[in-house]
Amino acid sequence: MTGATGQLGRRIVERLLTRVPADRVGVSVRDPHRAKDFADRGVRVRPGSFADAGSLAHAFEGATQVLIVSVDSMGAETVRLHRAAIDAAVAAGARRILYTSQTGASATSRFQACRDHAATEDASRACGVPFTSLRNGFHAASALHFLGPALESGEIVLPADGPVRWTSHADLAEAAAVLLADEGRIDGPTPPLTAGQALTFDDIARIATDIPGRAFKRTTAPDDAFRDRLVGQGVPAETASHLLGIFRAARAGEFATADPVLATLLGREPATFGTVLGERLAADAGR
C-alpha cells in the first residue's frame, strides 16, 4: 500500500497487522526512514513515488493487491499521479487494486477532490484489473480543523453548510484492513463508508458546547468573505476556492448519504463525532 506514513495510511497498516502476518504486508513510501517501525516488525518497506514510475515498479513488485491512498492535493495533476500508480499496479501483476475514494465522488460534484476521485475511479474501471474503491466518509479530522480557531474563541465562523457524516480515520482504517484481508469482499465502488450521524456545524456547535462545558456560537460567513479570509492568512487562492467547495457540496447534500456497510465491516457502530471531538479535547488538555 502507498501512503503508509500518513494519517490514514499508518492506521491502515496497524489494523492490517492484526489480521495478517507482517511478511504479507508491503508499503511504498517516499521516505523509508519514517516507516522504520514497520520494517522492524517485518513489513516490506520500499521507496516509491507516484511521480517516479520506476520506483513504483520496484515498490509494487510481487504484490497481489495494491491499495492506493489518494494524494493530498486536488486537480488534474492529482488524477495523473493516481493513474500512474494504477498503471504501475497493473504492470506489477496485482490482481486487485484498491483506492481511497470519497463519499460524493462524482464528475459533477461541487468539490474538486470529489471530481478527482470520480476520474480516478474511471481510470480504475478501465485498467482491466478488478478494483475496489473505498468511498470514505468525510474525515472528522477535517471538521476539527475547521473548528480549530473556535476552540479558543468560542465562535464558529464558517460558510453556510449542510449535513455531513463526519467519519473517524480509525474506523476508515479498520474498514480498509477488513477489505484487504478479505480480498474481493466488495467489488467496484463501496457504498458510503460513513458514521451514523449527519451533522451541520450548527449541530457541531451544540456538541462542542456539551463537551467542554462552555458555549459556542455558530456564525455564518459569506462565501466570498470566507475565501478572502483564508487568502489573507496565506492560503493560496486556488486552495481557498477548493476549501469553499466543501461547503457548497455539503449544502447540496453530497456528503449526507447513509449506508450501514461501515458498521457491518467494523462489527459495531462507527464512532460519533462527539467521541472524536472529546478525544481531541482530552489530548489537548494533556499537553
Side-chain angles (χ1 to χ4, degrees):
M1 63 168 285
T2 70
T5 56
Q7 192 170 8
L8 178 62
R10 180 170 287 279
R11 285 177 170 87
I12 294 173
V13 176
E14 291 288 358
R15 298 314 302 159
L16 187 59
L17 290 175
T18 69
R19 295 176 176 274
V20 301
D23 62 7
R24 289 183 55 197
V25 180
V27 299
S28 166
V29 293
R30 283 179 292 182
D31 181 0
H33 294 292
R34 293 182 60 196
K36 182 178 181 301
D37 57 324
F38 290 143
D40 290 344
R41 291 152 68 184
V43 173
R44 188 184 80 180
V45 176
R46 290 181 176 176
S49 167
F50 288 5
D52 181 351
S55 72
L56 292 182
H58 177 63
F60 294 171
E61 182 183 7
T64 56
Q65 298 184 87
V66 173
L67 170 59
I68 299 168
V69 176
S70 56
V71 300
D72 189 17
S73 63
M74 288 177 274
E77 177 64 8
T78 295
V79 178
R80 187 190 71 78
L81 293 173
H82 289 163
R83 285 176 172 152
I86 292 168
D87 290 345
V90 172
R95 64 190 182 215
R96 177 168 296 273
I97 296 170
L98 299 93
Y99 168 71
T100 58
S101 185
Q102 187 174 10
T103 296
S106 168
T108 60
S109 174
R110 292 157 182 81
F111 181 37
Q112 178 64 53
C114 285
R115 299 197 292 273
D116 297 342
H117 288 308
T120 302
E121 288 186 356
D122 286 344
S124 298
R125 288 187 188 91
C127 77
V129 171
F131 81 100
T132 301
S133 179
L134 286 71
R135 288 197 167 176
N136 289 339
F138 221 109
H139 294 158
S142 296
L144 294 178
H145 177 76
F146 284 126
L147 193 62
L151 298 179
E152 295 294 331
S153 69
E155 187 172 14
I156 302 171
V157 184
L158 294 168
D161 66 327
V164 178
R165 296 183 183 274
W166 302 103
T167 311
S168 75
H169 276 88
D171 285 346
L172 294 172
E174 180 71 18
V178 169
L179 292 174
L180 282 165
D182 188 7
E183 183 180 345
R185 179 166 174 174
I186 298 178
D187 193 56
T190 67
L193 300 173
T194 61
Q197 297 172 301
L199 303 173
T200 66
F201 273 99
D202 286 339
D203 300 320
I204 288 174
R206 289 191 288 272
I207 292 170
T209 296
D210 290 342
I211 293 176
R214 60 188 177 90
F216 280 77
K217 179 183 177 183
R218 165 71 162 109
T219 301
T220 301
D223 286 3
D224 290 344
F226 173 76
R227 182 174 50 228
D228 292 345
R229 181 170 51 123
L230 291 178
V231 172
Q233 294 169 349
V235 176
E238 184 178 22
T239 301
S241 294
H242 287 330
L243 291 173
L244 181 57
I246 296 172
F247 294 89
R248 289 175 170 164
R251 291 198 294 258
E254 293 186 23
F255 309 129
T257 307
D259 193 281
V261 68
L262 180 58
T264 299
L265 292 172
L266 299 177
R268 58 170 173 79
E269 288 302 312
T272 66
F273 182 78
T275 297
V276 175
L277 177 59
E279 290 172 351
R280 161 68 183 275
L281 292 173
D284 289 348
R287 289 175 185 169

